[in-house]
Amino acid sequence: MADSSSSASSSMAAAATDPPLQAMRNLLGQTLKCTLDDGRTATGTLICIDRLKNLILNHVVEVRRVDSSVYADEQMMDDDSSTKIITAKRLLAQAMIPGSHLVKVEIAQSTYDKYVQPVLAN
């Protein structure tokens, strides 16, 4: 019985010093830009991540590109008018980004140099 608790504590200690895990911990409180599979982007401060790669961001700016015909009245549309893309932004206090919909997560180069690269270099 003592062996199982000893091995559990040693695996927890190993996980605490795991460089990728430590790099993610260092990113808590930093600004991330997430691209979702539907083309939207969400930029905000990382406050939580779970094992399924679900992210929770604070102070989020969501940007999506929408065809202007979505907002246009059919009577106002000309047959020969070309559709334009509108960039729609909205501010959110918090957002949960499902890991299953994440395509890309970006951080600033300076954030990488300061918080991630030193941990992964060891």
Side-chain angles (χ1 to χ4, degrees), residues 16 20 65 74 99 105 111-112 116:
R65 297 173 56 101
E74 288 183 23
V105 177
T111 301
Y112 178 81
V116 178

Side-chain angles (χ1 to χ4, degrees), residues 21-90:
L21 181 61
Q22 186 59 45
M24 286 306 300
R25 283 189 179 138
N26 289 351
L27 288 177
L28 291 172
Q30 302 305 312
T31 300
L32 303 179
K33 179 180 180 181
C34 303
T35 303
L36 284 75
D37 57 5
D38 62 0
R40 288 180 292 166
T41 62
T43 304
T45 304
L46 177 67
I47 60 169
C48 183
I49 184 169
D50 67 9
R51 63 185 177 83
L52 300 175
K53 295 182 257 175
N54 298 317
L55 305 176
I56 298 179
L57 304 178
N58 256 349
H59 311 295
V60 180
V61 176
E62 180 193 62
V63 178
R64 61 190 174 103
R65 297 173 56 101
V66 181
D67 189 337
S68 62
S69 65
V70 170
Y71 293 110
D73 188 4
E74 288 183 23
Q75 297 170 353
M76 296 178 66
M77 294 286 292
D78 293 336
D79 291 333
D80 62 343
S81 67
S82 62
T83 58
K84 295 182 182 178
I85 302 296
I86 297 172
T87 300
K89 290 184 181 183
R90 68 177 177 165

